[in-house]
Amino acid sequence: MNLAESTFLRACRRQPVPHPPVWFMRQAGRSLPEYLKVREGVPMLTACETPDLAVEITLQPVRRYGVDAAIFFSDIVVPLKAIGVDLDIKPGVGPVVAQPVRDAAGLDALRPIEPDDVSYVTEAIRALVGELVGTPLIGFAGAPFTLGSYLIEGGPSRHHDRTKAMMYGEPRLWHDLMDRLAGIVLEHLRIQVRAGASAIQLFDSWIGAVAPDDYREFVLPHTRRIFDGLADLGVPRIHFGVGTGELLGLLGEAGADVVGVDWRVPLDEAARRVGPGKALQGNLDPAVLMAPWEVVERKAREVLRRGEAAEGHVFNLGHGVLPGTDPDQLKRLTDLVHEA
């Protein structure tokens, strides 16, 4: 199949499709026995830096589910590690930063990223494009607010209190940090597209912690810089965050072509909040997949029905696949969306 005819790329561009395309955030990962097998004894960042492994893990859900897009197997902290930030992904915890960035001196650790810093990313994406043929590959990165939160807090945080303390109390330092991170993220995404990624997704996982006025002042200019800086590449740009019901219009304003919606806001209401000129992605609650199939089917049909209000709809979950999910549920769900 010609990539240009891909239902995923067409839906992202708000063009007619025979059925909504479907892929799942975290479709590659702990819910798959084949993933657990190849990852046995291999630390997360080592897997991300090993092209053969990244290729295999990216392909696993495409083979098993027949989804309409692959998403590159990596992690949002990879570009930070690549430029020398001392961090590790601790099982059961998440990214942990050895020396948190809390002053101007800490910014010195954040140099621009070069293609050679992530040559393993380029190698893996080129190999994947050859394997995937007509299935688009989504490249991705973490947004400056979310990456900044890990750097400032030193790891995952429930309340993002240190992050917000810098944002409110030291706005100049905050904007310098966001500016540094936006440059790194933009180049990391451009590297992925140049290697062959057909679309990109910017994950702002923790942005739901920010009020709309603060988003507009402290976050929007930096996110917009990233999306503007990708415009010349001509690939669909997706923006996703969690707990973003109050921010959906602003997420669209930041410049994405597709706004990802978590499970909290029905898609017809999300279409109203985002406004015209955007496609939507989402948004079945991942926990629904733990229920019996008849519940999954009913809830999925409801998402599809509400998704008709959008100018383009990419079916997805409202966040990542949960580790305990039965892969058979995801296969049946993929088939259901295709048949719908």
Side-chain angles (χ1 to χ4, degrees):
M1 183 183 76
N2 181 350
L3 258 185
E5 292 307 306
S6 136
T7 52
F8 167 73
L9 295 176
R10 288 182 64 84
C12 287
R13 293 180 172 126
R14 297 176 289 123
Q15 296 168 341
V17 287
H19 58 78
V22 53
W23 71 278
F24 305 111
M25 289 182 279
R26 266 193 231 131
Q27 61 189 16
R30 294 169 292 177
S31 60
L32 291 178
E34 57 266 42
Y35 169 82
L36 296 173
K37 190 174 174 187
V38 299
R39 270 292 312 281
E40 208 171 334
V42 182
M44 177 64 179
L45 285 169
T46 305
C48 295
E49 293 164 1
T50 308
D52 289 354
L53 213 44
V55 168
E56 169 58 23
I57 294 168
T58 302
L59 291 172
Q60 284 175 349
V62 180
R63 291 190 203 114
R64 185 184 267 260
Y65 304 135
V67 283
D68 297 295
I71 184 160
F72 182 53
F73 175 77
S74 187
D75 191 273
I76 63 169
V77 298
V78 161
L80 299 181
K81 175 92 182 329
I83 60 169
V85 176
D86 186 357
L87 59 80
D88 194 17
I89 298 176
K90 300 248 165 100
V93 179
V96 177
V97 178
Q99 293 176 298
V101 175
R102 291 172 187 164
D103 54 29
L107 293 182
D108 294 340
L110 302 176
R111 66 168 175 83
I113 194 167
E114 308 282 344
D116 286 350
D117 295 323
V118 284
S119 55
Y120 47 87
V121 168
T122 300
E123 185 182 332
I125 288 177
R126 283 181 178 154
L128 278 164
V129 171
E131 294 271 353
L132 287 163
V133 196
T135 301
L137 176 68
I138 305 166
F140 77 92
F145 179 87
T146 293
L147 292 179
S149 177
Y150 282 124
L151 288 173
I152 296 163
E153 306 285 345
S157 167
R158 195 167 168 193
H159 301 293
H160 311 282
D161 40 349
R162 288 181 184 273
T163 305
K164 288 183 164 186
M166 183 192 289
M167 188 174 83
Y168 294 131
E170 299 180 83
R172 177 170 288 180
L173 177 61
W174 171 264
H175 283 294
D176 285 348
L177 173 60
M178 292 294 101
D179 187 58
R180 245 358 125 90
L181 289 170
I184 291 163
V185 169
L186 172 56
E187 180 55 23
H188 187 54
L189 288 169
R190 289 186 68 87
I191 286 166
Q192 292 176 68
V193 176
R194 287 197 298 262
S198 301
I200 65 93
Q201 177 155 309
L202 189 67
F203 283 90
D204 213 347
S205 310
W206 306 134
I207 199 60
V210 175
D213 285 351
D214 294 330
Y215 182 91
R216 191 178 287 285
E217 180 179 352
F218 295 109
V219 181
L220 183 62
H222 306 288
T223 311
R224 184 179 275 146
R225 178 186 159 200
I226 293 167
F227 285 124
D228 286 352
L230 295 163
D232 64 305
L233 298 176
V235 299
R237 299 158 296 175
I238 310 167
H239 196 11
F240 175 75
V242 184
T244 54
E246 298 301 319
L247 301 175
L248 286 171
L250 288 163
L251 294 188
E253 222 176 284
D257 306 294
V258 184
V259 175
V261 184
D262 79 5
W263 69 93
R264 294 170 177 87
V265 180
L267 287 180
D268 46 358
E269 172 58 19
R272 191 188 66 76
R273 293 183 192 185
V274 170
K278 308 284 176 187
L280 297 184
Q281 178 175 280
N283 71 339
L284 184 71
D285 186 340
V288 167
L289 290 161
M290 303 298 190
W293 169 250
E294 52 271 22
V295 178
V296 179
E297 180 175 10
R298 176 166 51 80
K299 293 281 196 181
R301 289 191 187 280
E302 179 75 0
V303 170
L304 288 165
R305 185 182 66 75
R306 291 181 181 270
E308 290 171 5
E311 293 179 27
H313 178 210
V314 175
F315 188 96
N316 206 313
L317 304 181
H319 199 192
V321 174
L322 296 169
T325 305
D326 178 357
D328 288 346
Q329 293 276 64
L330 285 166
K331 173 68 177 121
R332 290 181 79 176
L333 179 56
T334 307
D335 292 345
L336 172 74
V337 176
H338 285 162
E339 286 155 15

